Amino acid sequence: MKANLLELQNITKTFGQLVAVDRVNFELQAGEIHAILGENGAGKSTLMNLIYGLYQPSGGSLHVSGESKVFASPRDAIANGIGMVHQHFMLIENLTVAENIALSLGQLDVESGRTWLEGKEEARREEVPPPHSSHLPGRQSFWFKKAEAVEITEALSQRFGLAVDARALVRTLSVGLKQRVEILKALAVDARMLILDEPTAVLSPQEVDGFFTILRKLQADGRAIIFISHKMKEVLNISDRITVLRRGKKVYVGKTGELTSRELAREMLGEEVAEVKRKESHATTDVVLQISGLTVQGSSGVSNPSHLAVADVSMETYRGEIVGIAGVDGNGQRELAEAIMGLRQLAAGKIEILGTAPRGTKEIRQRGVGYIPEDRQTMGVIASFSIAENLLLSVTRLVDVAKWGVIDGKTKQALSEHLVTEYDIRPPNAHMPAEALSGGNQQKVVLAREISPNPELLIAVNPTRGLDISAAHYVHQNLLAQRDRKKSVLLISTELDEVLQLSDRIYVMSRGKLIEATPHRDDITALGLLMTGENS
Amino acid sequence: MLDKDGKVEEKKKGGKELAGKKERGKDGKRSWASLLSTQPPIFQSAKLFDYLRWMAAPALILGSAFVTNGIIMLLCGYNPLEAYAAAIGGAFGTGRKFGETLVKSTPFLMTGLSVAIAFRCGIWNIGAEGQFLVGALGATWFGTKVAVLFPAQPWLAVPLCLGIAGFAGGIWGLLPAILKVTRGVNEVISTIMLNYVAIHLVSLMVDGGPLQEAAKRGPQSDRIAEWVFLPRLLPPHRIHLGIGIAVALAVVLTFILFRTTFGYQLRAVGESASAAEAAGISSVQNTLRVFFISGALAGLGGAIELTALARRLFLNFSPGYGYTAIAVALLAKLHPLVTVAAALLFGALTTGSYGMQREVGISDKVTLVMQATILLFVIGYSSVQFFRKRVS
């Protein structure tokens, strides 16, 4: 029996009348990977924020290595060896990767990072590091040693196999690369307990394998990992134990393998999950979107040394089909989608929607194009706007609910109430600001807005990222319904399963190039190789 | 083309149940966040509690400022309670005094609205001062040179004068807008610089320039023609039509901001330009529009001040209204209707200082200290808000 590194007893967190976490007991042992499963709003994030000191519990107690602790802030949690990789990145966009890492390394104190890298941590791990141990706030150097920060970052990324350009500005990195930096940041402070909130969402199958190798390495090192994921396969693959939360309560804890994925899903949802039902293809010969020779300049990053985010891409979509574009994050998908939406300048090539080339995003939307952007935080919703207002965030919608430029209050109200119910946005209060919603519910707001006008062409970039199983299922049904209505859908996703399940035709995007991959659709390995650009 | 059927269907289905459910902030932090929100409860399902919560921040700012200022007065050897009583008496004591407070509030309101509308769109227009002066300049030109061509037609001359002044202010506002959208010039810098250009433009015009008075005695213009005077409502009181215009504009702007597609687009750009662009809302277009409107409001403010009160242009025509306006707008959380109250407060500080001077013998510089203290607390509060947003 291993000692409990971390133990929560009857931990409770209430927000007003809402009980987000209800008397949850949780144990984390040294050297285990403990997965936490649960739908959006099940209380996973709240529980993690309690452990990480972002929230203070309303009841119950928290013990680290048997000692009762109260964390007033994440600083206390970090001092007790707890690290966290958030779903929403906590990076300083205008600093380089190395500077961000250095920031987490005891506030620009690079010396301690160096010590750790040289393997002297053995001695330190003997006893429990006291708060304000050498790598934590307290020992600060006045000078920022940039070269050393770069060196440490490179050493870190090499050691953990998370390649990233230490000198690149964080804001120029893709979402996937930013997450790598987040993981490196947590690893850099030598956390003994690592909370990973949806860490694999942006990784390719190959990268996930590599990432799991890292996790196992960390595990063998005696570190404990709390792994939050919606992906059942991954959870079953990597974890030692699984805790399932449902509506704030712990409903199951047990060794991985005790329950099958179907049984686990039932624990999560409290009911059986339906499979996506897919009818035969209805593809017609009416072209909706035609792209020829499209080239888009990219912002600098690692994956594209040539700085061409999209390189000579030609493709088309027809009415009544879903075209899937699979690929690892940061291979030009975002730029492709933004170019189609008129948000990026074309370096070369042509984009035609329903036969003519529109000018500007407004005109594109007026042609009936819906857009689910990759980054909902900066492009999908406006945090301070209410749900009702966010549901209007599209020029065409705005015109729909207005008369003589005045927004009709009743139409707006009716529309938002209808969509909140229809898309099961929680909490069902259209006056709530979007920032008060969980990521999944924010995504539902975007989906409701973009899918409900029944667009001729829907550009969906990672539409189910951050959604739970039932919500993702709902999205999939909606995309298929669009197809069945003889509309066209362009699904750009890093989730291979999703692309395979929904698409009539499949492309793979790798380093800005597009490869038709429909013939390989039954061969995951071949697709994976295409995604890594192996045979291009 | 958007599907009409889909829309109709939604209308039919909509409006079911679940509307009334009152949702508290999802957690402690969030209700704190909604307390900081710049969205007033006025156009949501408003409850008295929501109003109070929304007003908590301004109340806190003012309370702190009054206490701090009281301490300063104590240190100077005055009794702050006596001083505040005198100030309140001076600002609101009699109908006449209250009227004067309204008169003093008007330029704060006009420039405050100008700043509020710009900041709402994420445009940091610090140029209300210059736009105010250029508006006054336009009104002076019209009042002294053009209006004399068609005598005694106030029904035509007054609106035309205000219109020209607003247009002049708007054009002055467009200059930094064009620099911003074409060359990426930061508007904070360009608008501040243009303030100096405007100040010196006024001095160029009235100090030896074409608009200097015919007698050439001092650096001021001739009095504008009588039929361009903005009517005073209750002579001999100085209460004038401009007060009504300013308040009406506050109401109109509130409606535009929260109830029209134009206001929606403007706020969307201000909150998140990238999200607005993705929605097909052009931030360039909105930047140009809002800069023009903002400049026009400030310019109109200058014209009102000129045609209703001073009736001639001179050096130092504005004692810094355009800068104080930033504090007014921020204190009002950039809400046009609340700006009326904030402007009234700043007007009352001015007239109140007369009362303090008369009755307690405190220098009118105390008003400036008070204004500065409020500004400091507004800024301090905004940074707390900014910080909390980052953390949460």
Short mmCIF file of all heavy atoms in Angstrom, two decimals, chain B residues 37-44 51 54-55 58 109 112-113 115-117 119-120 249-251 253-255 257-258 267 328-343:
data_model
loop_
_atom_site.label_atom_id
_atom_site.label_comp_id
_atom_site.label_asym_id
_atom_site.label_seq_id
_atom_site.Cartn_x
_atom_site.Cartn_y
_atom_site.Cartn_z
N SER B 37 -18.82 44.36 -14.09
CA SER B 37 -19.18 44.38 -15.50
C SER B 37 -19.57 45.78 -15.94
O SER B 37 -20.14 46.56 -15.19
CB SER B 37 -20.34 43.41 -15.73
OG SER B 37 -21.36 44.03 -16.44
N THR B 38 -19.22 46.11 -17.18
CA THR B 38 -19.56 47.43 -17.69
C THR B 38 -20.96 47.42 -18.29
O THR B 38 -21.41 48.41 -18.81
CB THR B 38 -18.56 47.88 -18.75
OG1 THR B 38 -18.36 46.80 -19.65
CG2 THR B 38 -17.25 48.29 -18.13
N GLN B 39 -21.61 46.31 -18.23
CA GLN B 39 -22.96 46.19 -18.78
C GLN B 39 -23.94 46.49 -17.65
O GLN B 39 -24.02 45.77 -16.69
CB GLN B 39 -23.15 44.76 -19.28
CG GLN B 39 -24.54 44.48 -19.76
CD GLN B 39 -24.70 44.85 -21.20
OE1 GLN B 39 -23.74 45.04 -21.90
NE2 GLN B 39 -25.92 44.98 -21.64
N PRO B 40 -24.69 47.56 -17.77
CA PRO B 40 -25.60 47.89 -16.68
C PRO B 40 -26.81 46.98 -16.69
O PRO B 40 -27.12 46.37 -17.71
CB PRO B 40 -26.02 49.31 -17.04
CG PRO B 40 -25.96 49.34 -18.51
CD PRO B 40 -24.85 48.42 -18.92
N PRO B 41 -27.49 46.88 -15.56
CA PRO B 41 -28.66 46.00 -15.51
C PRO B 41 -29.86 46.61 -16.21
O PRO B 41 -30.87 45.97 -16.35
CB PRO B 41 -28.92 45.86 -14.02
CG PRO B 41 -28.29 47.05 -13.39
CD PRO B 41 -27.17 47.48 -14.28
N ILE B 42 -29.73 47.85 -16.67
CA ILE B 42 -30.88 48.57 -17.19
C ILE B 42 -31.58 47.83 -18.33
O ILE B 42 -32.79 47.81 -18.42
CB ILE B 42 -30.45 49.98 -17.66
CG1 ILE B 42 -30.09 50.79 -16.43
CG2 ILE B 42 -31.54 50.67 -18.44
CD1 ILE B 42 -29.45 52.12 -16.71
N PHE B 43 -30.80 47.17 -19.18
CA PHE B 43 -31.45 46.49 -20.29
C PHE B 43 -31.50 44.99 -20.11
O PHE B 43 -31.63 44.23 -21.03
CB PHE B 43 -30.79 46.89 -21.61
CG PHE B 43 -31.02 48.31 -21.90
CD1 PHE B 43 -30.08 49.26 -21.58
CD2 PHE B 43 -32.24 48.72 -22.41
CE1 PHE B 43 -30.32 50.59 -21.81
CE2 PHE B 43 -32.49 50.05 -22.64
CZ PHE B 43 -31.54 50.99 -22.34
N GLN B 44 -31.35 44.57 -18.87
CA GLN B 44 -31.53 43.16 -18.58
C GLN B 44 -32.72 43.08 -17.64
O GLN B 44 -33.36 44.06 -17.35
CB GLN B 44 -30.27 42.60 -17.94
CG GLN B 44 -29.06 42.86 -18.81
CD GLN B 44 -27.77 42.61 -18.06
OE1 GLN B 44 -27.78 42.23 -16.91
NE2 GLN B 44 -26.68 42.84 -18.72
N TYR B 51 -29.29 46.88 -9.55
CA TYR B 51 -28.90 48.28 -9.69
C TYR B 51 -27.90 48.65 -8.61
O TYR B 51 -26.87 49.25 -8.88
CB TYR B 51 -30.12 49.20 -9.55
CG TYR B 51 -30.97 49.28 -10.78
CD1 TYR B 51 -32.27 48.82 -10.77
CD2 TYR B 51 -30.45 49.81 -11.96
CE1 TYR B 51 -33.05 48.89 -11.90
CE2 TYR B 51 -31.23 49.88 -13.09
CZ TYR B 51 -32.53 49.41 -13.06
OH TYR B 51 -33.30 49.48 -14.18
N TRP B 54 -24.62 47.22 -9.22
CA TRP B 54 -23.92 47.84 -10.32
C TRP B 54 -23.38 49.21 -9.92
O TRP B 54 -22.34 49.64 -10.38
CB TRP B 54 -24.87 48.00 -11.52
CG TRP B 54 -24.14 48.30 -12.77
CD1 TRP B 54 -23.42 47.42 -13.51
CD2 TRP B 54 -24.02 49.56 -13.42
NE1 TRP B 54 -22.86 48.06 -14.59
CE2 TRP B 54 -23.21 49.36 -14.56
CE3 TRP B 54 -24.52 50.83 -13.16
CZ2 TRP B 54 -22.90 50.39 -15.43
CZ3 TRP B 54 -24.19 51.86 -14.03
CH2 TRP B 54 -23.40 51.63 -15.16
N MET B 55 -24.08 49.86 -9.01
CA MET B 55 -23.66 51.19 -8.59
C MET B 55 -22.63 51.11 -7.45
O MET B 55 -22.12 52.14 -7.01
CB MET B 55 -24.86 52.01 -8.11
CG MET B 55 -25.81 52.43 -9.22
SD MET B 55 -25.00 53.24 -10.62
CE MET B 55 -24.45 54.76 -9.84
N PRO B 58 -18.98 52.79 -8.35
CA PRO B 58 -18.92 54.25 -8.30
C PRO B 58 -19.09 54.78 -6.88
O PRO B 58 -18.40 55.71 -6.47
CB PRO B 58 -20.09 54.69 -9.18
CG PRO B 58 -20.30 53.56 -10.12
CD PRO B 58 -19.95 52.32 -9.36
N LEU B 109 -20.70 66.78 -19.46
CA LEU B 109 -21.57 65.74 -20.02
C LEU B 109 -21.26 65.52 -21.49
O LEU B 109 -21.09 64.38 -21.93
CB LEU B 109 -23.04 66.13 -19.83
CG LEU B 109 -24.07 65.17 -20.42
CD1 LEU B 109 -23.80 63.73 -19.95
CD2 LEU B 109 -25.49 65.58 -20.04
N GLY B 112 -17.92 64.00 -21.77
CA GLY B 112 -18.00 62.67 -21.14
C GLY B 112 -18.65 61.67 -22.07
O GLY B 112 -18.20 60.53 -22.20
N LEU B 113 -19.71 62.09 -22.76
CA LEU B 113 -20.38 61.20 -23.72
C LEU B 113 -19.42 60.86 -24.85
O LEU B 113 -19.36 59.72 -25.32
CB LEU B 113 -21.63 61.87 -24.28
CG LEU B 113 -22.81 62.04 -23.31
CD1 LEU B 113 -23.93 62.83 -23.97
CD2 LEU B 113 -23.33 60.68 -22.86
N VAL B 115 -16.19 60.68 -24.78
CA VAL B 115 -15.20 59.71 -24.32
C VAL B 115 -15.85 58.34 -24.13
O VAL B 115 -15.32 57.30 -24.55
CB VAL B 115 -14.55 60.18 -23.00
CG1 VAL B 115 -13.69 59.08 -22.40
CG2 VAL B 115 -13.73 61.43 -23.24
N ALA B 116 -17.04 58.33 -23.53
CA ALA B 116 -17.70 57.06 -23.23
C ALA B 116 -17.95 56.25 -24.49
O ALA B 116 -17.67 55.05 -24.54
CB ALA B 116 -19.01 57.31 -22.49
N ILE B 117 -18.43 56.92 -25.53
CA ILE B 117 -18.79 56.19 -26.75
C ILE B 117 -17.52 55.64 -27.42
O ILE B 117 -17.51 54.52 -27.94
CB ILE B 117 -19.61 57.10 -27.70
CG1 ILE B 117 -20.44 56.26 -28.66
CG2 ILE B 117 -18.76 58.07 -28.47
CD1 ILE B 117 -21.74 55.86 -28.09
N PHE B 119 -14.57 54.92 -25.87
CA PHE B 119 -13.99 53.85 -25.05
C PHE B 119 -14.79 52.57 -25.18
O PHE B 119 -14.25 51.47 -25.13
CB PHE B 119 -13.93 54.29 -23.58
CG PHE B 119 -12.79 55.22 -23.26
CD1 PHE B 119 -12.17 55.97 -24.25
CD2 PHE B 119 -12.31 55.34 -21.96
CE1 PHE B 119 -11.12 56.83 -23.96
CE2 PHE B 119 -11.25 56.20 -21.65
CZ PHE B 119 -10.66 56.94 -22.66
N ARG B 120 -16.11 52.70 -25.33
CA ARG B 120 -16.96 51.53 -25.52
C ARG B 120 -16.52 50.71 -26.73
O ARG B 120 -16.67 49.51 -26.78
CB ARG B 120 -18.40 51.97 -25.75
CG ARG B 120 -19.18 52.15 -24.49
CD ARG B 120 -19.68 50.84 -23.96
NE ARG B 120 -20.34 51.05 -22.70
CZ ARG B 120 -20.88 50.09 -21.98
NH1 ARG B 120 -20.84 48.85 -22.40
NH2 ARG B 120 -21.45 50.36 -20.85
N LEU B 249 -29.21 63.72 -25.79
CA LEU B 249 -28.19 62.93 -26.48
C LEU B 249 -27.77 61.71 -25.65
O LEU B 249 -27.51 60.64 -26.18
CB LEU B 249 -26.97 63.80 -26.79
CG LEU B 249 -27.10 64.67 -28.04
CD1 LEU B 249 -25.94 65.64 -28.14
CD2 LEU B 249 -27.16 63.79 -29.30
N ALA B 250 -27.71 61.91 -24.33
CA ALA B 250 -27.35 60.78 -23.46
C ALA B 250 -28.38 59.66 -23.60
O ALA B 250 -28.03 58.48 -23.68
CB ALA B 250 -27.26 61.25 -22.01
N VAL B 251 -29.65 60.05 -23.67
CA VAL B 251 -30.71 59.04 -23.82
C VAL B 251 -30.60 58.36 -25.18
O VAL B 251 -30.63 57.13 -25.29
CB VAL B 251 -32.10 59.71 -23.65
CG1 VAL B 251 -33.21 58.70 -23.94
CG2 VAL B 251 -32.24 60.28 -22.25
N LEU B 253 -28.00 58.10 -27.10
CA LEU B 253 -26.80 57.25 -27.18
C LEU B 253 -27.00 55.94 -26.44
O LEU B 253 -26.53 54.89 -26.88
CB LEU B 253 -25.59 57.99 -26.62
CG LEU B 253 -24.99 59.07 -27.52
CD1 LEU B 253 -23.90 59.82 -26.80
CD2 LEU B 253 -24.44 58.44 -28.80
N THR B 254 -27.68 56.01 -25.31
CA THR B 254 -27.97 54.77 -24.58
C THR B 254 -28.78 53.82 -25.45
O THR B 254 -28.49 52.63 -25.53
CB THR B 254 -28.73 55.09 -23.28
OG1 THR B 254 -27.99 56.05 -22.55
CG2 THR B 254 -28.91 53.85 -22.44
N PHE B 255 -29.78 54.39 -26.10
CA PHE B 255 -30.60 53.57 -26.98
C PHE B 255 -29.76 52.98 -28.11
O PHE B 255 -29.80 51.78 -28.38
CB PHE B 255 -31.75 54.42 -27.56
CG PHE B 255 -32.68 53.64 -28.44
CD1 PHE B 255 -33.68 52.88 -27.89
CD2 PHE B 255 -32.53 53.66 -29.82
CE1 PHE B 255 -34.54 52.14 -28.69
CE2 PHE B 255 -33.37 52.93 -30.64
CZ PHE B 255 -34.38 52.17 -30.06
N LEU B 257 -26.57 52.47 -28.23
CA LEU B 257 -25.56 51.55 -27.75
C LEU B 257 -26.14 50.17 -27.43
O LEU B 257 -25.55 49.15 -27.74
CB LEU B 257 -24.91 52.15 -26.49
CG LEU B 257 -23.46 51.85 -26.19
CD1 LEU B 257 -22.59 51.99 -27.41
CD2 LEU B 257 -22.98 52.80 -25.09
N PHE B 258 -27.32 50.16 -26.81
CA PHE B 258 -27.81 48.88 -26.30
C PHE B 258 -28.97 48.30 -27.08
O PHE B 258 -29.36 47.17 -26.86
CB PHE B 258 -28.21 49.02 -24.83
CG PHE B 258 -27.05 49.38 -23.95
CD1 PHE B 258 -26.91 50.65 -23.42
CD2 PHE B 258 -26.06 48.43 -23.69
CE1 PHE B 258 -25.82 50.97 -22.63
CE2 PHE B 258 -24.98 48.76 -22.90
CZ PHE B 258 -24.85 50.02 -22.38
N ARG B 267 -19.98 47.90 -29.68
CA ARG B 267 -19.56 47.28 -28.42
C ARG B 267 -18.78 45.99 -28.69
O ARG B 267 -17.82 45.67 -28.00
CB ARG B 267 -20.77 46.97 -27.54
CG ARG B 267 -21.36 48.23 -26.90
CD ARG B 267 -22.48 47.89 -25.94
NE ARG B 267 -23.62 47.30 -26.61
CZ ARG B 267 -24.17 46.15 -26.29
NH1 ARG B 267 -23.70 45.46 -25.27
NH2 ARG B 267 -25.19 45.67 -26.95
N VAL B 328 -14.96 61.47 -15.89
CA VAL B 328 -16.43 61.45 -15.87
C VAL B 328 -16.93 60.15 -16.49
O VAL B 328 -17.74 59.42 -15.90
CB VAL B 328 -17.00 62.66 -16.65
CG1 VAL B 328 -18.50 62.56 -16.79
CG2 VAL B 328 -16.61 63.96 -15.95
N ALA B 329 -16.40 59.82 -17.66
CA ALA B 329 -16.89 58.64 -18.39
C ALA B 329 -16.54 57.35 -17.65
O ALA B 329 -17.36 56.43 -17.55
CB ALA B 329 -16.30 58.62 -19.80
N LEU B 330 -15.34 57.29 -17.11
CA LEU B 330 -14.94 56.07 -16.42
C LEU B 330 -15.73 55.89 -15.12
O LEU B 330 -16.13 54.78 -14.77
CB LEU B 330 -13.44 56.08 -16.11
CG LEU B 330 -12.52 55.90 -17.31
CD1 LEU B 330 -11.07 56.02 -16.90
CD2 LEU B 330 -12.76 54.55 -17.98
N LEU B 331 -15.97 57.00 -14.44
CA LEU B 331 -16.76 56.92 -13.21
C LEU B 331 -18.16 56.41 -13.53
O LEU B 331 -18.76 55.67 -12.76
CB LEU B 331 -16.83 58.30 -12.55
CG LEU B 331 -17.57 58.37 -11.21
CD1 LEU B 331 -16.82 57.57 -10.17
CD2 LEU B 331 -17.69 59.82 -10.75
N ALA B 332 -18.67 56.77 -14.70
CA ALA B 332 -20.00 56.34 -15.12
C ALA B 332 -19.97 54.96 -15.78
O ALA B 332 -20.97 54.53 -16.35
CB ALA B 332 -20.59 57.36 -16.09
N LYS B 333 -18.83 54.30 -15.70
CA LYS B 333 -18.66 52.98 -16.33
C LYS B 333 -19.05 53.01 -17.80
O LYS B 333 -19.65 52.07 -18.33
CB LYS B 333 -19.49 51.93 -15.61
CG LYS B 333 -18.97 51.60 -14.23
CD LYS B 333 -19.73 50.41 -13.72
CE LYS B 333 -19.22 49.91 -12.41
NZ LYS B 333 -19.95 48.72 -11.99
N LEU B 334 -18.77 54.12 -18.45
CA LEU B 334 -18.98 54.28 -19.89
C LEU B 334 -20.44 54.12 -20.29
O LEU B 334 -20.74 53.77 -21.43
CB LEU B 334 -18.11 53.30 -20.70
CG LEU B 334 -16.62 53.27 -20.36
CD1 LEU B 334 -15.90 52.29 -21.28
CD2 LEU B 334 -15.99 54.64 -20.47
N HIS B 335 -21.33 54.35 -19.35
CA HIS B 335 -22.74 54.26 -19.69
C HIS B 335 -23.29 55.67 -19.88
O HIS B 335 -23.22 56.49 -18.96
CB HIS B 335 -23.49 53.55 -18.57
CG HIS B 335 -24.88 53.21 -18.93
ND1 HIS B 335 -25.87 54.16 -19.02
CD2 HIS B 335 -25.47 52.04 -19.27
CE1 HIS B 335 -27.00 53.59 -19.37
NE2 HIS B 335 -26.78 52.30 -19.54
N PRO B 336 -23.88 55.96 -21.06
CA PRO B 336 -24.30 57.34 -21.34
C PRO B 336 -25.25 57.92 -20.30
O PRO B 336 -25.10 59.07 -19.91
CB PRO B 336 -24.98 57.22 -22.71
CG PRO B 336 -24.39 56.01 -23.33
CD PRO B 336 -24.06 55.07 -22.22
N LEU B 337 -26.22 57.13 -19.85
CA LEU B 337 -27.17 57.68 -18.89
C LEU B 337 -26.51 57.99 -17.56
O LEU B 337 -26.77 59.00 -16.92
CB LEU B 337 -28.33 56.70 -18.66
CG LEU B 337 -29.50 56.81 -19.62
CD1 LEU B 337 -30.63 55.89 -19.19
CD2 LEU B 337 -30.00 58.24 -19.72
N VAL B 338 -25.63 57.08 -17.13
CA VAL B 338 -24.94 57.30 -15.87
C VAL B 338 -23.97 58.47 -15.99
O VAL B 338 -23.69 59.15 -15.01
CB VAL B 338 -24.22 56.01 -15.42
CG1 VAL B 338 -23.63 56.18 -14.03
CG2 VAL B 338 -25.17 54.83 -15.44
N THR B 339 -23.51 58.70 -17.23
CA THR B 339 -22.62 59.85 -17.45
C THR B 339 -23.31 61.15 -17.06
O THR B 339 -22.67 62.09 -16.60
CB THR B 339 -22.19 59.89 -18.93
OG1 THR B 339 -21.62 58.63 -19.26
CG2 THR B 339 -21.15 60.97 -19.17
N VAL B 340 -24.63 61.20 -17.23
CA VAL B 340 -25.38 62.39 -16.81
C VAL B 340 -25.13 62.64 -15.32
O VAL B 340 -24.81 63.76 -14.91
CB VAL B 340 -26.89 62.21 -17.08
CG1 VAL B 340 -27.67 63.40 -16.55
CG2 VAL B 340 -27.15 62.03 -18.56
N ALA B 341 -25.25 61.59 -14.52
CA ALA B 341 -25.04 61.73 -13.08
C ALA B 341 -23.60 62.10 -12.77
O ALA B 341 -23.33 62.97 -11.93
CB ALA B 341 -25.42 60.43 -12.38
N ALA B 342 -22.66 61.47 -13.46
CA ALA B 342 -21.25 61.75 -13.19
C ALA B 342 -20.91 63.18 -13.57
O ALA B 342 -20.17 63.87 -12.84
CB ALA B 342 -20.37 60.77 -13.98
N ALA B 343 -21.47 63.65 -14.70
CA ALA B 343 -21.21 65.02 -15.12
C ALA B 343 -21.81 66.00 -14.10
O ALA B 343 -21.21 67.02 -13.77
CB ALA B 343 -21.81 65.28 -16.50
#
